[in-house]
Amino acid sequence: MDFNVKKLASDAGVFFTRAVQFTEEKLGQAEKTELDVHLENLLARADCTKNWTEKIFRQTEVLLQPNPSARIEEFFYEKLDRKIPSRTTNGELLGQYMLDAAKDFGPATPYGTTLIKVGEIQRRLGGTEREYIQSSAASFLSPLRNFLEGDWRTISKERRLLENRRLDLDICKARLKKAKAAEAKAAATPDFQETRPRNYVLSASASALWSEEVDKAELELRVAQTEFDRQAEVTRLLLEGISSTHVHHLRCLHEFVEAQAAYYAHCHQHMQDLQRELSSSNGDVIPNAFAGNPSTLAAFSSPSPSTSACPGPAPTPTSSALSPLGGASAVSMETDTLRIEEVRPPASGTRKAKVLYDYDAADTSELSLRADELITVYTVPGMDPDWLIGERGNQKGKVPVTYLELLS
């Protein structure tokens, strides 16, 4: 190999003198040139931008792809500049399992028919999720990655160059300071005694020699100062570009939110379609299984504790009629208060429920609850979907669905 020995030795010498200067600055034995306040603020802002962008980028990756192995695989595909293979989402896989199970159970059976309906919706949800992940990765993750792997690396490189130029400048300042101190000392006590031929250089005045050294040090200082100022300006321009980076990331953030909103809207629409399909068929499969209002199905999901507020009854339409199934006549709903004393349990469709939390009745139309007790619940047409009719012995009243766990 063709090595440039002189250049290698020169670079090694520069590196050594910079290391010495840096160490002396850390030990407080050398002066350090401070950057101007504006540049220091730009550097601090850039570091803050990099740190938070990196955290947001990593956590967004986790949000879109919770599987660490899948993230590592995608990382290698990106580094190899190869297309990431399409991966089946969990929703699509669940939907396919349901469809396969329906074939074995019999697509004509009630269970098989429902599995087919739910499986199709799950596949749609999985497809929607995949589109959301791809859209978010392109509109939000990619710009953040480009900043971290492109712009920030350029900024870091120029910052390192600026630090080297600062060290060179401080080295030149220290060298000039030493040269001036030696010149002053030589001028005070000149030495004209050395006249031997083998030391011809030393025969001149020591003051003149140090004067030349001072001139040389001043020239090197001017050059170092020019290079430092030029590099500081380059670094300042790059750091001021962080503002435009913020504007670009703001647009990307809006696109990410829009992608999320579209994803959840599609999921909500799919689930509403599924609820309507199941509600229309529940009357044949499970008699009187609260199919009067499609939103009632949402009320029978697993309740979650809430300590900040208790659910309250919503006003029922005044035009609705309460038609108990126990032979009683219909009662007109002319007020917002349900007339509990006239409600009769249906002939079928009642369910047992376990009370999860204590609940104190707000008025006489409600039933107080105690945690862990068992009660009988049912619904009637015209009721708010967040409430059921609960019975405990000869006591009866409205109870909030979120305080119950339905057992049968």
Side-chain angles (χ1 to χ4, degrees), residues 305-382:
S306 175
T307 57
S308 59
C310 295
T316 55
T318 57
S319 60
S320 301
L322 179 62
S323 302
L325 300 181
S329 59
V331 180
S332 175
M333 298 295 290
E334 296 179 352
T335 64
D336 292 339
T337 303
L338 186 67
R339 300 176 64 178
I340 297 299
E341 64 276 4
E342 300 186 19
V343 175
R344 297 292 181 270
S348 60
T350 60
R351 305 176 71 173
K352 289 293 184 181
K354 178 182 177 182
V355 178
L356 299 176
Y357 325 107
D358 291 344
Y359 176 73
D360 294 328
D363 53 48
T364 58
S365 68
E366 297 179 7
L367 179 65
S368 296
L369 302 175
R370 292 296 173 262
D372 297 327
E373 69 175 341
L374 295 178
I375 63 173
T376 301
V377 295
Y378 54 88
T379 189
V380 292

